[in-house]
Coordinates of all heavy atoms in Angstrom, one line a residue:
M1316 N 207.3 186.8 99.0 CA 207.0 185.4 99.3 C 206.3 185.3 100.7 O 206.7 186.0 101.6 CB 208.2 184.6 99.3 CG 208.8 184.4 97.9 SD 210.3 183.3 97.9 CE 209.6 181.8 98.6
K1317 N 205.4 184.4 100.8 CA 204.7 184.2 102.1 C 205.4 183.1 102.9 O 206.1 182.2 102.4 CB 203.3 183.8 101.9 CG 202.4 184.9 101.4 CD 201.0 184.4 101.4 CE 200.0 185.5 100.9 NZ 198.6 185.0 100.9
T1318 N 205.3 183.2 104.2 CA 205.8 182.2 105.1 C 204.8 181.1 105.2 O 203.5 181.3 105.3 CB 206.0 182.8 106.6 OG1 206.9 183.8 106.5 CG2 206.4 181.8 107.5
K1319 N 205.2 179.8 105.2 CA 204.3 178.7 105.4 C 203.7 178.7 106.8 O 204.4 178.9 107.8 CB 205.1 177.4 105.2 CG 205.6 177.1 103.8 CD 204.6 176.3 103.1 CE 205.1 175.9 101.7 NZ 204.1 175.4 100.9
S1320 N 202.4 178.6 106.9 CA 201.7 178.7 108.2 C 202.2 177.5 109.1 O 202.3 177.7 110.3 CB 200.2 178.6 108.0 OG 199.8 179.8 107.3
S1321 N 202.4 176.4 108.5 CA 202.8 175.2 109.3 C 204.2 175.5 109.9 O 204.5 175.2 111.1 CB 202.8 174.0 108.5 OG 203.7 174.1 107.4
A1322 N 205.1 176.1 109.2 CA 206.4 176.4 109.7 C 206.4 177.5 110.7 O 207.1 177.5 111.7 CB 207.4 176.8 108.5
K1323 N 205.5 178.5 110.5 CA 205.4 179.6 111.5 C 205.0 179.1 112.9 O 205.4 179.6 113.9 CB 204.3 180.5 110.9 CG 204.1 181.8 111.8 CD 203.0 182.6 111.2 CE 202.4 182.3 109.9 NZ 201.3 183.2 109.5
K1324 N 204.1 178.0 112.9 CA 203.6 177.5 114.1 C 204.6 176.6 114.8 O 204.6 176.4 116.0 CB 202.3 176.7 113.9 CG 201.2 177.5 113.4 CD 200.1 176.7 112.9 CE 199.0 177.5 112.2 NZ 198.0 176.7 111.5
R1325 N 205.6 176.0 114.1 CA 206.4 174.9 114.6 C 207.9 175.4 114.9 O 208.5 174.8 115.8 CB 206.5 173.8 113.6 CG 205.2 172.9 113.6 CD 205.2 172.0 112.5 NE 204.1 171.1 112.5 CZ 202.9 171.4 112.1 NH1 202.6 172.6 111.6 NH2 201.9 170.5 112.1
F1326 N 208.3 176.4 114.3 CA 209.8 176.8 114.4 C 209.9 178.2 114.8 O 209.1 179.1 114.5 CB 210.5 176.6 113.0 CG 210.3 175.2 112.5 CD1 209.7 175.0 111.3 CD2 210.9 174.1 113.1 CE1 209.5 173.8 110.7 CE2 210.8 172.9 112.6 CZ 210.1 172.7 111.4
R1327 N 211.0 178.5 115.5 CA 211.4 179.8 115.9 C 212.9 179.9 115.5 O 213.7 179.0 115.9 CB 211.2 180.1 117.4 CG 209.8 180.2 117.8 CD 209.1 181.5 117.3 NE 207.7 181.5 117.8 CZ 206.7 181.1 117.0 NH1 206.9 180.6 115.8 NH2 205.5 181.2 117.5
V1328 N 213.3 181.0 114.9 CA 214.7 181.2 114.6 C 215.4 182.0 115.7 O 214.9 183.1 116.1 CB 214.9 182.0 113.2 CG1 216.3 182.2 112.9 CG2 214.2 181.2 112.1
R1329 N 216.4 181.5 116.3 CA 217.1 182.2 117.4 C 218.1 183.2 116.8 O 218.4 183.2 115.6 CB 217.9 181.1 118.2 CG 217.0 180.2 119.0 CD 217.8 179.2 119.7 NE 217.0 178.5 120.7 CZ 217.2 177.3 121.1 NH1 218.2 176.6 120.7 NH2 216.4 176.8 122.0
P1330 N 218.5 184.2 117.6 CA 219.4 185.2 117.1 C 220.7 184.7 116.5 O 221.2 185.4 115.6 CB 219.7 186.0 118.4 CG 218.5 185.8 119.3 CD 218.1 184.4 119.0
G1331 N 221.2 183.6 116.9 CA 222.4 183.1 116.3 C 222.2 182.4 115.0 O 223.2 182.0 114.4
G1332 N 221.0 182.2 114.6 CA 220.7 181.6 113.3 C 220.2 180.2 113.4 O 219.8 179.5 112.5
T1333 N 220.3 179.6 114.6 CA 219.9 178.2 114.8 C 218.3 178.3 114.9 O 217.7 179.3 115.2 CB 220.4 177.6 116.1 OG1 220.0 178.4 117.2 CG2 221.9 177.5 116.0
V1334 N 217.7 177.1 114.6 CA 216.3 177.0 114.6 C 215.9 176.1 115.7 O 216.4 175.0 115.9 CB 215.8 176.5 113.3 CG1 214.3 176.4 113.2 CG2 216.3 177.4 112.1
K1335 N 214.9 176.5 116.5 CA 214.4 175.6 117.6 C 213.0 175.2 117.3 O 212.2 175.8 116.6 CB 214.4 176.3 119.0 CG 213.4 177.4 119.2 CD 213.4 177.9 120.6 CE 212.3 178.9 120.8 NZ 212.2 179.3 122.2
S1336 N 212.6 174.0 117.9 CA 211.3 173.5 117.7 C 210.9 172.7 118.9 O 211.8 172.3 119.7 CB 211.2 172.6 116.4 OG 211.8 171.4 116.7
G1337 N 209.7 172.3 119.0 CA 209.2 171.5 120.1 C 209.5 170.0 119.8 O 209.8 169.7 118.6
M1338 N 209.4 169.2 120.8 CA 209.7 167.8 120.6 C 208.5 167.1 120.0 O 207.4 167.4 120.3 CB 210.1 167.1 121.9 CG 211.3 167.8 122.6 SD 212.8 167.4 121.7 CE 213.3 166.0 122.6
A1339 N 208.7 166.1 119.1 CA 207.7 165.3 118.6 C 207.3 164.1 119.5 O 208.0 163.9 120.5 CB 208.1 164.7 117.2
F1340 N 206.2 163.5 119.2 CA 205.7 162.3 120.0 C 205.3 162.6 121.4 O 205.4 161.7 122.3 CB 206.8 161.2 120.0 CG 207.3 160.8 118.6 CD1 208.6 161.2 118.2 CD2 206.5 160.1 117.7 CE1 209.0 160.9 117.0 CE2 207.0 159.8 116.5 CZ 208.2 160.2 116.1
K1341 N 204.8 163.8 121.6 CA 204.4 164.1 123.0 C 202.9 164.5 123.1 O 202.4 165.0 124.1 CB 205.3 165.3 123.5 CG 205.1 165.7 124.9 CD 205.6 164.6 125.9 CE 205.8 165.1 127.3 NZ 204.7 165.6 127.9
R1342 N 202.1 164.3 122.0 CA 200.8 164.9 121.9 C 199.7 163.9 122.4 O 198.8 164.3 123.1 CB 200.4 165.3 120.5 CG 201.3 166.4 120.0 CD 201.1 167.7 120.7 NE 202.1 168.7 120.2 CZ 202.5 169.7 120.9 NH1 202.1 169.9 122.1 NH2 203.3 170.6 120.4
H1343 N 199.8 162.7 122.0 CA 198.7 161.7 122.4 C 199.3 160.3 122.5 O 200.5 160.1 122.2 CB 197.5 161.8 121.4 CG 198.0 161.5 120.0 ND1 197.8 160.2 119.4 CD2 198.6 162.2 119.0 CE1 198.3 160.3 118.2 NE2 198.8 161.4 117.9
I1344 N 198.5 159.4 122.9 CA 198.9 158.0 123.2 C 200.1 158.0 124.1 O 201.1 157.4 123.9 CB 199.2 157.2 121.9 CG1 198.2 157.5 120.8 CG2 199.3 155.8 122.1 CD1 198.5 156.8 119.5
L1345 N 199.9 158.7 125.3 CA 201.0 158.9 126.2 C 201.0 157.7 127.3 O 201.9 157.6 128.0 CB 200.8 160.2 126.9 CG 201.0 161.4 126.0 CD1 200.7 162.7 126.8 CD2 202.4 161.5 125.4
T1346 N 199.9 156.9 127.3 CA 199.8 155.9 128.4 C 200.8 154.8 128.2 O 201.3 154.3 129.1 CB 198.4 155.3 128.4 OG1 198.1 154.9 127.1 CG2 197.4 156.4 128.8
K1347 N 201.1 154.5 126.9 CA 202.1 153.4 126.7 C 203.5 153.8 126.7 O 204.4 153.0 126.6 CB 201.8 152.7 125.4 CG 201.9 153.5 124.2 CD 201.6 152.7 122.9 CE 200.2 152.4 122.7 NZ 199.9 151.8 121.4
K1348 N 203.8 155.1 126.8 CA 205.1 155.7 126.9 C 205.6 155.7 128.3 O 204.8 156.1 129.2 CB 205.2 157.0 126.2 CG 204.9 157.0 124.8 CD 204.9 158.3 124.1 CE 204.5 158.1 122.6 NZ 203.7 159.2 122.1
T1349 N 206.8 155.4 128.6 CA 207.4 155.4 129.9 C 207.5 156.8 130.4 O 207.6 157.8 129.7 CB 208.7 154.7 130.0 OG1 209.6 155.5 129.2 CG2 208.6 153.3 129.4
T1350 N 207.5 156.9 131.8 CA 207.7 158.2 132.4 C 209.0 158.9 132.0 O 209.1 160.1 131.8 CB 207.6 158.1 133.9 OG1 206.5 157.3 134.2 CG2 207.6 159.4 134.6
K1351 N 210.1 158.1 131.9 CA 211.4 158.6 131.5 C 211.3 159.1 130.1 O 211.9 160.2 129.8 CB 212.4 157.5 131.6 CG 213.8 157.9 131.1 CD 214.7 156.7 131.2 CE 216.1 157.1 130.7 NZ 217.0 156.0 130.7
N1352 N 210.6 158.4 129.2 CA 210.5 158.9 127.8 C 209.8 160.2 127.7 O 210.2 161.2 127.1 CB 209.8 157.8 127.0 CG 209.9 158.1 125.5 OD1 210.5 159.1 125.1 ND2 209.2 157.4 124.7
K1353 N 208.7 160.3 128.5 CA 207.9 161.6 128.4 C 208.7 162.7 129.0 O 208.6 163.9 128.6 CB 206.6 161.4 129.2 CG 205.6 160.5 128.4 CD 204.3 160.4 129.1 CE 204.3 159.4 130.2 NZ 203.0 159.0 130.7
R1354 N 209.4 162.5 130.1 CA 210.2 163.5 130.7 C 211.3 164.0 129.8 O 211.6 165.2 129.7 CB 210.9 162.9 132.0 CG 211.7 163.9 132.8 CD 212.1 163.4 134.1 NE 213.0 162.2 133.9 CZ 212.8 161.0 134.3 NH1 211.6 160.7 134.9 NH2 213.6 160.0 134.1
Q1355 N 211.9 163.1 129.0 CA 213.0 163.5 128.1 C 212.4 164.2 126.8 O 213.2 164.9 126.1 CB 213.8 162.3 127.6 CG 214.6 161.8 128.8 CD 215.4 160.5 128.4 OE1 215.1 159.8 127.4 NE2 216.4 160.2 129.2
L1356 N 211.1 164.2 126.6 CA 210.5 164.9 125.5 C 210.1 166.3 125.8 O 209.6 167.0 125.0 CB 209.3 164.1 125.0 CG 209.6 162.8 124.3 CD1 208.3 162.0 124.0 CD2 210.4 163.0 123.0
R1357 N 210.3 166.7 127.1 CA 210.0 168.1 127.5 C 210.9 169.1 126.8 O 212.0 168.7 126.4 CB 210.1 168.3 129.0 CG 209.0 167.6 129.7 CD 209.2 167.9 131.2 NE 208.4 167.0 132.0 CZ 208.7 166.6 133.2 NH1 209.8 167.1 133.8 NH2 208.0 165.8 133.9
G1358 N 210.5 170.3 126.8 CA 211.4 171.4 126.3 C 211.5 171.5 124.8 O 210.6 171.0 124.1
T1359 N 212.5 172.1 124.3 CA 212.7 172.3 122.9 C 214.1 171.7 122.5 O 214.9 171.3 123.3 CB 212.8 173.8 122.6 OG1 213.8 174.4 123.4 CG2 211.5 174.5 122.9
R1360 N 214.3 171.7 121.2 CA 215.5 171.2 120.7 C 215.9 172.0 119.5 O 215.1 172.7 118.9 CB 215.4 169.7 120.2 CG 214.4 169.6 119.1 CD 214.1 168.1 118.8 NE 213.1 168.0 117.8 CZ 213.3 167.8 116.5 NH1 214.6 167.5 116.1 NH2 212.4 167.7 115.6
N1361 N 217.2 171.9 119.1 CA 217.7 172.5 117.9 C 217.4 171.6 116.7 O 217.6 170.4 116.8 CB 219.2 172.8 118.0 CG 219.5 174.0 118.8 OD1 218.6 174.9 119.0 ND2 220.7 174.0 119.4
I1362 N 217.0 172.2 115.6 CA 216.9 171.5 114.3 C 218.2 171.1 113.8 O 219.2 171.8 114.0 CB 216.1 172.4 113.3 CG1 214.8 172.8 113.8 CG2 216.0 171.7 112.0 CD1 213.8 171.6 114.0
N1363 N 218.3 169.9 113.2 CA 219.5 169.4 112.7 C 220.0 170.3 111.6 O 219.2 170.9 110.9 CB 219.3 168.0 112.1 CG 220.6 167.3 111.8 OD1 221.7 167.9 111.9 ND2 220.5 166.0 111.5
A1364 N 221.3 170.5 111.4 CA 221.9 171.4 110.5 C 221.5 171.1 109.1 O 221.4 172.0 108.2 CB 223.4 171.4 110.6
S1365 N 221.3 169.8 108.8 CA 220.9 169.5 107.4 C 219.4 169.9 107.1 O 219.1 170.0 105.9 CB 221.0 167.9 107.2 OG 220.1 167.3 108.1
D1366 N 218.6 170.2 108.1 CA 217.2 170.6 107.8 C 217.0 172.1 107.9 O 216.0 172.6 107.6 CB 216.3 169.9 108.9 CG 216.3 168.4 108.7 OD1 216.4 167.9 107.6 OD2 216.2 167.7 109.8
V1367 N 218.1 172.8 108.3 CA 217.9 174.3 108.5 C 217.6 175.0 107.2 O 216.8 175.9 107.2 CB 219.2 174.8 109.2 CG1 219.2 176.3 109.2 CG2 219.3 174.3 110.6
T1368 N 218.2 174.5 106.1 CA 218.0 175.2 104.8 C 216.6 175.1 104.4 O 216.0 176.0 103.9 CB 218.9 174.7 103.8 OG1 218.7 173.3 103.7 CG2 220.4 175.0 104.1
S1369 N 215.9 173.9 104.6 CA 214.5 173.8 104.2 C 213.6 174.6 105.1 O 212.6 175.1 104.6 CB 214.1 172.3 104.2 OG 214.2 171.8 105.5
V1370 N 214.0 174.8 106.4 CA 213.2 175.6 107.2 C 213.3 177.1 106.8 O 212.3 177.8 106.8 CB 213.6 175.5 108.7 CG1 212.9 176.5 109.6 CG2 213.3 174.1 109.2
Y1371 N 214.5 177.5 106.4 CA 214.7 178.9 105.9 C 213.9 179.1 104.6 O 213.4 180.2 104.4 CB 216.1 179.2 105.7 CG 216.8 179.6 107.0 CD1 218.1 179.1 107.3 CD2 216.3 180.5 107.9 CE1 218.8 179.5 108.5 CE2 216.9 180.9 109.0 CZ 218.2 180.4 109.3 OH 218.8 180.7 110.5
R1372 N 213.8 178.1 103.8 CA 213.0 178.2 102.6 C 211.5 178.4 102.9 O 210.8 179.2 102.2 CB 213.1 177.0 101.7 CG 214.3 177.1 100.8 CD 214.2 176.1 99.7 NE 215.6 175.7 99.3 CZ 216.1 174.5 99.7 NH1 215.4 173.6 100.2 NH2 217.3 174.2 99.4
M1373 N 211.0 177.8 103.9 CA 209.6 177.9 104.3 C 209.4 179.2 105.0 O 208.2 179.7 105.0 CB 209.2 176.7 105.2 CG 209.2 175.4 104.5 SD 208.5 174.1 105.5 CE 209.9 173.6 106.5
M1374 N 210.4 179.8 105.6 CA 210.3 181.0 106.4 C 211.2 182.1 105.8 O 212.3 182.4 106.3 CB 210.6 180.8 107.8 CG 209.7 179.8 108.5 SD 210.2 179.4 110.1 CE 209.8 180.9 111.0
P1375 N 210.9 182.7 104.6 CA 211.8 183.6 103.9 C 212.1 184.8 104.7 O 213.2 185.5 104.5 CB 211.2 183.8 102.6 CG 209.7 183.6 102.8 CD 209.6 182.5 103.9
T1376 N 211.2 185.3 105.6 CA 211.5 186.6 106.3 C 212.1 186.4 107.6 O 212.4 187.3 108.3 CB 210.1 187.3 106.5 OG1 209.3 186.4 107.3 CG2 209.5 187.6 105.2
A1377 N 212.4 185.1 108.0 CA 213.1 184.9 109.3 C 214.5 185.2 109.3 O 215.2 185.1 108.2 CB 212.8 183.4 109.7

């Protein structure tokens, strides 16, 4: 089975089995967003536990 290209670009599986991704809503139309909001969108986050199974289906070799 192949890995979905979109999932390959967006997710990384950590050694403990958790999945990390970048934050959404940080790409464009940033002028109307507050500085606090943009600052809190920095970095990465863990995917919710309910979504991990679908990410593993998209990335069978991870």
